[in-house]
Amino acid sequence: MLTVDFGRLRVGAGDRVLDLGCGAGRHAFEALRRGAHVVALDTSKAELREVSAMCAAMAAAGEVPPGGSAEAVTGDATAMPFPDGSFDRVIAAEVLEHIPADQAAMNEIARVLRPGGVAAVTVPAWLPERICWRLSADYHNTPGGHVRIFTRRELETKLARAGLSVGGHHHAHALHSPYWWLKCAVGVHDDDHALASAYHRMLVWDIMRRPAVTRLTESALNPLIGKSLVVYAAKQPASVKQQASVKQQAGVPREEGHAAARQ
């Protein structure tokens, strides 16, 4: 189940892709299937071992195009062990809501992204997340849990502050919001509750079968209750930054300079 739209992110063969906070590796696997050079970074060595094993299995099964590769790296999102401009694409899916120093992490995303590269950043969307927090303290008040609820404006402002030019956005996984509301209402740790179990089976069925009725329903509901917000942001080439700086020094308002840089 992908949150990032790879059609928008445009990952291709030979691209250097960082999956920041990769978790179980779902986005890393998709980038690898497209022939990218993938680095999966996480703090969990156990999850990284699983990601490495799956990447090896994909290669053995012939699912990796020639030239594609994958590497698992243990690291901190606020101090990544990579040189400046190391990656063509950076994916940070459902990561920043866990990090107290979120601006430092976004600064690092901008640093390791090459000029002209694109980042896809996803966080829990404000409304579904606010409902979960209201229904259950256990949902977020746990070690390693969510420490903030982002608005789109806050996320985009912080990405811009890091030096990235914010582009489009969309929402995803609307059918998952009611599941989490239900879990919060009956107990987030009660996986055996009848209603929660039944809804979970439906979600698994939907992921595996992808029937038209649920795909159309989710597409219609995503703008309203999509569980995830996805924002795309680019790192401007140095020449564009210099042009914007010259315009600002000449008295052009910051907003106009940014608009020109996006054209």
Side-chain angles (χ1 to χ4, degrees):
M1 182 186 71
L2 298 175
T3 305
V4 171
D5 183 344
F6 276 72
R8 293 195 188 199
L9 190 58
R10 296 183 180 180
V11 173
D15 283 342
R16 297 164 297 166
V17 178
L18 171 64
D19 187 1
L20 173 60
C22 65
R26 57 200 171 106
H27 290 100
F29 302 149
E30 180 61 24
L32 184 59
R33 287 189 188 96
R34 292 168 180 256
H37 301 295
V38 181
V39 175
L41 184 140
D42 205 284
T43 58
S44 171
K45 293 183 179 180
E47 287 201 298
L48 289 174
R49 285 193 294 270
E50 295 294 328
V51 171
S52 294
M54 178 58 73
C55 290
M58 290 171 59
E63 297 180 18
V64 180
S69 65
E71 177 185 3
V73 176
T74 305
D76 181 347
T78 64
M80 289 190 270
F82 311 116
D84 296 358
S86 294
F87 299 98
D88 301 296
R89 301 289 185 269
V90 175
I91 299 169
E94 311 298 300
V95 174
L96 295 176
E97 69 275 10
H98 297 276
I99 302 174
D102 62 323
Q103 185 66 65
M106 285 184 252
N107 293 345
E108 278 290 273
I109 290 172
R111 181 184 67 80
V112 302
L113 192 63
R114 69 162 174 81
V118 179
V121 178
T122 92
V123 296
W126 184 87
L127 178 60
E129 187 75 349
R130 175 61 66 185
I131 293 172
C132 286
W133 282 48
R134 286 290 183 90
L135 289 173
S136 172
D138 288 342
Y139 170 79
H140 65 93
N141 192 20
T142 58
H146 298 182
V147 298
R148 70 178 54 79
I149 302 176
F150 281 99
T151 63
R152 180 164 66 89
R153 181 175 182 178
E154 178 186 359
L155 178 60
E156 292 182 344
T157 297
K158 288 180 174 179
L159 288 170
R161 191 179 297 155
L164 299 175
S165 179
V166 175
H169 74 277
H170 61 86
H171 291 79
H173 311 318
L175 294 181
H176 290 247
S177 292
Y179 170 72
W180 283 104
W181 298 338
L182 180 59
K183 286 279 289 180
C184 288
V186 304
V188 291
H189 303 301
D190 186 1
D191 294 331
D192 296 327
H193 190 280
L195 290 176
S197 296
Y199 201 113
H200 184 266
R201 288 194 297 272
M202 185 277 290
L203 290 177
V204 172
W205 170 80
D206 176 59
I207 291 170
M208 298 300 294
R209 298 295 184 89
R210 300 185 63 80
V213 63
T214 56
R215 296 300 86 223
L216 291 172
T217 300
E218 185 160 79
S219 294
L221 292 175
N222 273 338
L224 301 174
I225 60 169
K227 186 70 171 66
S228 296
L229 165 68
V230 188
V231 172
Y232 301 88
K235 185 172 181 178
Q236 297 176 3
S239 59
V240 175
K241 286 185 178 180
Q242 291 167 0
Q243 291 171 13
S245 177
V246 169
K247 288 184 178 182
Q248 289 173 21
Q249 291 172 10
V252 178
R254 180 179 297 272
E255 289 78 6
E256 183 179 340
H258 284 177
R262 288 193 295 268
Q263 292 176 355

